[in-house]
Amino acid sequence: MRNIKFLLQKEFRQIFRNTAILRLILAMPIIQLILIPLAADYEVKNINIAVVDNDHSGYSRRLTEKMKASGYFKLTDYSESYRKAEAAIGRSETDIILTIPRGFERDLIREQNTELQLAADAVNGIKAGLGAVYAQQIIVSFNQEIRAEWTNGLSLKQKVPVTISSALWYNAEVNYYLFMVPGILVILVTMVGSFLAALNIVSEKEIGTMEQINVSPLKKHEFILGKLIPFWVLGMTSITIGMFVAYLIYGILPIGSFLVIYTYAALYLLAVLGIGLLVSTFADNQQQATLFAFFMMMIFILMSGLYTPVDSMPEWAQWVARFNPPAYFIRLIRAVYIKGSGFEDLGPEFLITAAFAVVFNALAIFNYNKRG
Amino acid sequence: MSAIHIENLVKSYEKGKVKALKSISLDIEEGELFGLIGPDGSGKTTLFRILTTLILPDSGNATLMGLDVVEDFWEIRKIVGYMPGRFSLYQDLSIEENLNFFATVFNTTVAENYHLIEDIYVQIEPFKKRRAGKLSGGMKQKLALCCALIHEPKVLLLDEPTTGVDPVSRKEFWDMLGRLKEKGITVVVSTPYMDEASRCDRIALMQDGQIMEMDSLKNILQKHPQHLYAVRSKDMHRLLFDLRNFEGMKSAFAFGDEHHAVLGKGSDDPNQLFDFLQLKGHEQLAIRPISPEIEDVFIQLMQAQES
């Protein structure tokens, strides 16, 4: 016990002397929480649209105005030439072309039927997809508007026998931050817990102090605990800072209890510290550890459901995601923040994470045990 | 009982491709100051790493104070002080903090064993608040020795402690080792510097994973008498070539600003050599007999091993 106390004292002393790491731990949550949600916003604005108006009628102008007024689109070109608009796409000046055919107004009134063409530049898939969807919505609403005018708003309901009304639960206003910010917190804690710990241990290997400790009668578990505890504390600190920053900047507070988050975080940190420990057993220097951390972080982030839902991945990728610890924390922290889930709803997450903690730490200790 | 007993120790790396130790046997007495002398890559560090229980031997066995390096490694770690070749203390902790840390790791306190390190510690004590990373080479060496001594080890293993240290600090360091020996600690030092052999009770000359010779310096020199001459002339480069062409020449090699020539038995007349060289047209020729030093013996043994 005396040994562990002393190891901790030494470890914290070193951490507090390493101002670069300390600043990183403090600044990282703040900067990441400010920047990433803004950058990762899926709402696409400022889509450049070119309208090729072959009709020049009241309706065609009204549709164009409606597009402009929506806030999503910026009218870059309004002409009669499809070829000209297409050339603008080639120069990346336009994202979407809306072509209004000749006789658009006439056909609409006489035959109650006409066609419009939307062409999107799919080099940027998200912008093209969302832009096309927004444009369609606007066209549908334009359609309803004019029909309502003709029938004086009476027969709309008769004409559309089925109406679908959708309600968004838990996050009714689709607050993007509420969804993104807790997820980013998880990535932060993962980085502190796994890779800072790994780098720290590998640096002891690099400077040779590891060897000095290995020739001493210090027990393995004492050494490992001496490393795990400080980074566990750092991880808990960084999630606390992160939640505070999330409240301060975005006004986000969990609906559920902090107790659930902290209890889970305590367990989760054990699991990711196990990963860090494992990395440190086979990396010989900090360069190797850093490169490996970089590679792992990409997988952690992209396969965690932070940006894209895991359910929409192919079957094999979903299996990979099942072995990805951050995926569970992200699911859990979102549930607690947005739905207010409690312990009773989150049993599987707790159990699986506990299993991760046991497996990773056991692997690490097994690997560390080997003497050349 | 010998403090260190090593029998047929074999260790290879990279799946047997690199043979670091080729069946080494040696005994070191208690309270002895023993030197392992050999060039880089001769297997000194590997031997230390086995003795300190950091790596396992492929075959053979070794005991320290009767404890087996494989079986009783926990016990060995309590009685061995090890100073690796590279400075490996915490650079971001101060002298005092490093010392306290290693004392605690070995379940002791600085106060308890202060008498052991006092001579050395007083020299670095004025800087005890300074971080280890900011110390000069000599001070780092002293701190590392203090840390290796703080748990009162019975056996002290020092891997090239004087490499990269200035001559004055080197001399001081050996004086310190002499005092530790007087306190009854068995000290094993490895070094690539042949001139440090004279400070050891006994030495082992190592080359290519083998011990070529092991005895006290005096005995080794006596065991390998040589007809050794220092030769100079105006054209040193051609001289070496001509020396090697002399019949009865056992070996000739550059040694500082002279050449050392070892003459074989029966042809050890320096006058003949002088005439031979003069015929070759050497000017300012000078030949004088010298008594061989450890380096001459080492080279001789090395050449014998190679042929």
Side-chain angles (χ1 to χ4, degrees), chain A residues 208-238:
Chain A
T209 43
M210 189 79 150
E211 208 167 89
Q212 289 283 27
I213 300 236
N214 279 346
V215 298
S216 79
L218 196 72
K219 294 280 191 300
K220 239 151 248 144
H221 73 265
E222 292 173 321
F223 176 76
I224 289 174
L225 279 178
K227 286 290 176 197
L228 289 186
I229 295 170
F231 286 95
W232 187 88
V233 172
L234 280 185
M236 292 303 258
T237 313
S238 88

Side-chain angles (χ1 to χ4, degrees), chain B residues 213-238:
Chain B
E213 184 60 274
M214 176 169 55
D215 210 327
S216 69
L217 178 62
K218 213 178 109 200
N219 288 348
I220 288 180
L221 293 179
Q222 262 174 14
K223 244 191 263 180
H224 300 276
Q226 293 179 333
H227 301 289
L228 186 67
Y229 296 92
V231 189
R232 304 181 55 106
S233 91
K234 205 176 167 188
D235 186 352
M236 292 298 280
H237 181 70
R238 196 161 60 83

Side-chain angles (χ1 to χ4, degrees), chain B residues 21-22 27 38 46 56-58 92 101 126 165 230 259 271 280 297:
Chain B
L21 293 181
K22 300 171 184 165
D27 274 278
T46 301
L56 298 168
D58 296 345
D92 46 0
F101 177 74
V165 176
H259 293 322
N271 292 325
K280 293 271 179 192
V297 175

Side-chain angles (χ1 to χ4, degrees), chain B residues 14 26 66 71 146 167 254 295:
Chain B
E14 287 170 33
L26 107 112
E71 304 289 320
C146 285
E295 208 158 330

Side-chain angles (χ1 to χ4, degrees), chain B residues 88-101:
Chain B
S88 8
L89 299 176
Y90 291 101
Q91 314 257 358
D92 46 0
L93 295 182
S94 69
I95 287 184
E96 216 179 9
E97 287 161 351
N98 265 301
L99 199 55
N100 275 321
F101 177 74

